[in-house]
């Protein structure tokens, strides 16, 4: 399993997003949290900002849609050029169709589960998914405390993925830091979102390297 780091610009200066993205050119992805103030109690950015970011960086964008009605909006992010588009199980009404539309538009299809959402009911969807995202905080805000209660689900998700050929990436998002990333890696995650741990650091690029090394050693 190759370790990948996806810094979340939710913790960056929103008036200087291009600089924030350029500061972590050693990252594998840039994680973009799209929030609509309905699915989660916070409002961030949408497609126009993603389109501008795509022009500002060659690092692929990992768009995490925390919005109602993702079936309506997700394909446009893929069509715009996002490398990965993730929709929530709790919000999607036609996840198979939406995941297929994301793939058809040339992006990787991601499927996200909140901390209290079980992974087992989605086993049959693994063939439609390129990345499973397990939230390790309740979605909505950066800088929250990592929820250890999700660790057994990470292990079970890894086992399901291996049973289905091992090709689906397993991403964790929320409270991932130098203190918690090894636990996530040991449990089977291979893609790590980090907001506060990267953009709260004095040297964000160095924080990316340090997180990568910790996950790779675990
Ligand atoms: C939370 C977002 C996360 C957030 C993570 O709802 O999905 O991507 O930016 O931030 P940290 O790493 O600070 O918990
Ligand atoms: Zn996120």
């Amino acid at each position: 399993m190759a370790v990948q780091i996806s810094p979340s610009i939710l913790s960056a200066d929103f008036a200087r997003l291009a600089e924030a993205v350029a500061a972590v050119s050693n990252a594998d992805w840039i994680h973009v949290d799209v929030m609509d103030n309905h699915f989660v109690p916070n409002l961030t950015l949408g497609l126009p900002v993603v389109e501008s970011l795509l022009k500002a960086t060659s690092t692929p964008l990992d768009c995490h849609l925390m919005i109602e009605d993702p079936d309506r909006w997700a394909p446009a992010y893929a069509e715009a050029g996002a490398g990965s588009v993730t929709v929530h199980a709790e919000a999607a009404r036609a996840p198979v169709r939406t995941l297929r539309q994301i793939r058809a538009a040339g992006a990787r299809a991601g499927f996200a589960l909140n901390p209290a959402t079980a992974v087992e009911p989605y086993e049959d969807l693994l063939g439609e998914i390129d990345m499973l995202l397990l939230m390790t905080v309740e979605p909505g805000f950066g800088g929250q405390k990592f929820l250890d209660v999700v660790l057994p689900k990470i292990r079970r998700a890894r086992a399901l993925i291996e049973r289905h050929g091992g090709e689906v990436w397993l991403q964790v998002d929320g409270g991932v830091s130098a203190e918690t990333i090894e636990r996530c890696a040991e449990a089977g995650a291979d893609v790590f979102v980090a907001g506060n741990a990267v953009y709260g650091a004095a040297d964000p690029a160095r924080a990316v390297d340090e997180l990568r090394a910790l996950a790779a050693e675990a």
Side-chain angles (χ1 to χ4, degrees), residues 22-119:
V24 291
S25 58
N26 56 335
D28 302 281
W29 296 86
I30 295 293
H31 186 82
V32 182
D33 288 305
V34 176
M35 302 184 185
D36 67 350
N37 202 31
H38 291 276
F39 180 66
V40 290
N42 195 7
L43 183 66
T44 55
L45 51 82
L47 193 55
V49 175
V50 166
E51 286 169 339
S52 293
L53 282 171
L54 285 164
K55 287 183 217 148
T57 182
S58 56
T59 306
L61 299 188
D62 164 27
C63 292
H64 177 195
L65 306 187
M66 284 159 279
I67 60 174
E68 284 185 359
D69 206 0
D71 306 289
R72 176 175 173 194
W73 301 108
Y77 288 83
E79 282 154 20
S84 177
V85 180
T86 297
V87 297
H88 265 265
E90 303 83 2
R93 294 213 178 97
V96 174
R97 183 178 65 213
T98 300
L99 292 163
R100 288 184 180 183
Q101 284 176 340
I102 292 168
R103 280 181 166 177
R108 296 179 60 89
F111 196 60
L113 306 182
N114 282 342
T117 304
V119 65

Side-chain angles (χ1 to χ4, degrees), residues 8 10 31-33 35 64 66 133 135 171 173-174 193:
S8 167
L10 184 61
H31 186 82
V32 182
D33 288 305
M35 302 184 185
H64 177 195
M66 284 159 279
L133 163 52
M135 291 303 302
Q171 183 177 64
D173 181 9
V193 177

Side-chain angles (χ1 to χ4, degrees), residues 179-199:
E179 277 78 60
T180 58
I181 195 167
E182 288 164 287
R183 271 176 267 169
C184 297
E186 277 163 14
D190 54 3
V191 186
F192 303 87
V193 177
N196 207 47
V198 169
Y199 286 108

Side-chain angles (χ1 to χ4, degrees), residues 1-2 123 126 132 154-170 187-190:
M1 276 183 330
E123 177 172 359
L126 284 175
L132 182 64
I154 301 173
R155 285 182 216 287
R156 294 199 307 274
R158 169 52 63 192
L160 288 179
I161 287 169
E162 291 309 316
R163 197 133 43 98
H164 286 261
E167 275 170 21
V168 177
W169 295 351
L170 184 55
D190 54 3

